[in-house]
Amino acid sequence: SRATHLQSRIGGLDGRALRKGDVLNLGMRVGASAPSAGRTCPLESRPNYRACPTLRVISGPHADRFHREALDALTSGAYQLTLQSDRMGYRLDGPALNLLDDGHQISEATPLGSIQIPPNRQPILLMVDRQPTGGYPMPAIMMVADLPLAAQLLPGDRLTFAWIDRQEAVRFLQAQHQALDEALPAVLPSP
């Protein structure tokens, strides 16, 4: 029966209350592989993590509000993650990005990977726990396919940016999904 099966999975305590010293066997041992998964991602399919990754960016919704020199500076120099970086955003220290205007604007949506420029002109790369809206201009947005590279960075690490067009970004993301689908095919439940 289902109850007997569940009981055997939690250490066979025969339905009694837990007592000091009881051991509950609820899952796999640390370091054990899930027998149902039985697969790992091949090395050639894993992201190429490196000391100073180059993150590819597409033109953002406010690129036209920046000096051409500022947009060139975004991709010509290295940036370092400051100690104020977290899962919301990576505050970067490097070439300043100057606007053509005063930088004020109404708050709007902040896509994953947006690069915002606050008044100090030092970029903030918005990460997974970013706020849903923000009021800083966004000259560029990181290609989603590069998120695994960015997610491995720690304060003090360095990174660079490189421009890419939207069609290339879509092709890279599609290729990344296809490679993962091939490396880790869907596991169908047993009949």
Side-chain angles (χ1 to χ4, degrees):
S1 82
R2 181 166 160 64
T4 304
H5 175 71
L6 180 59
Q7 193 174 25
S8 70
R9 291 196 66 201
I10 60 170
L13 298 176
D14 299 322
R16 67 171 171 74
L18 291 176
R19 291 187 290 231
K20 184 176 181 176
D22 282 344
V23 176
L24 301 178
N25 298 315
L26 297 173
M28 298 179 298
R29 295 182 323 275
V30 174
S33 297
S36 62
R39 58 202 172 114
T40 60
C41 188
L43 285 175
E44 62 274 6
S45 298
R46 297 178 190 175
N48 182 13
Y49 299 119
R50 50 197 171 277
C52 184
T54 297
L55 305 177
R56 294 163 289 186
V57 295
I58 61 172
S59 182
H62 308 125
D64 61 344
R65 294 179 55 195
F66 289 83
H67 291 276
R68 180 74 234 164
E69 296 81 18
L71 297 176
D72 291 342
L74 179 67
T75 58
S76 64
Y79 287 91
Q80 185 172 26
L81 274 71
T82 69
L83 293 175
Q84 291 75 37
S85 298
D86 58 25
R87 288 177 47 94
M88 284 185 69
Y90 292 167
R91 290 188 173 268
L92 305 175
D93 184 34
L97 303 183
N98 295 314
L99 285 126
L100 295 169
D101 57 40
D102 63 10
H104 295 293
Q105 69 178 52
I106 296 172
S107 288
E108 61 183 81
T110 55
L112 176 60
S114 296
I115 297 174
Q116 289 189 322
I117 307 301
N120 71 0
R121 304 300 185 237
Q122 292 297 306
I124 302 171
L125 174 60
L126 299 184
M127 297 299 288
V128 182
D129 288 341
R130 72 201 179 281
Q131 70 279 9
T133 61
Y136 297 138
M138 296 175 276
I141 300 173
M142 178 184 64
M143 181 175 77
V144 175
D146 284 348
L147 181 62
L149 297 176
Q152 297 301 312
L153 297 170
L154 298 171
D157 286 347
R158 298 176 68 78
L159 64 91
T160 59
F161 294 108
W163 291 109
I164 188 171
D165 70 41
R166 291 178 197 277
Q167 291 76 24
E168 286 177 294
V170 169
R171 283 195 297 274
F172 277 115
L173 186 59
Q174 289 170 335
Q176 184 182 56
H177 282 272
Q178 182 178 350
L180 285 172
D181 287 344
E182 291 170 5
L184 301 169
V187 175
L188 300 174
S190 300

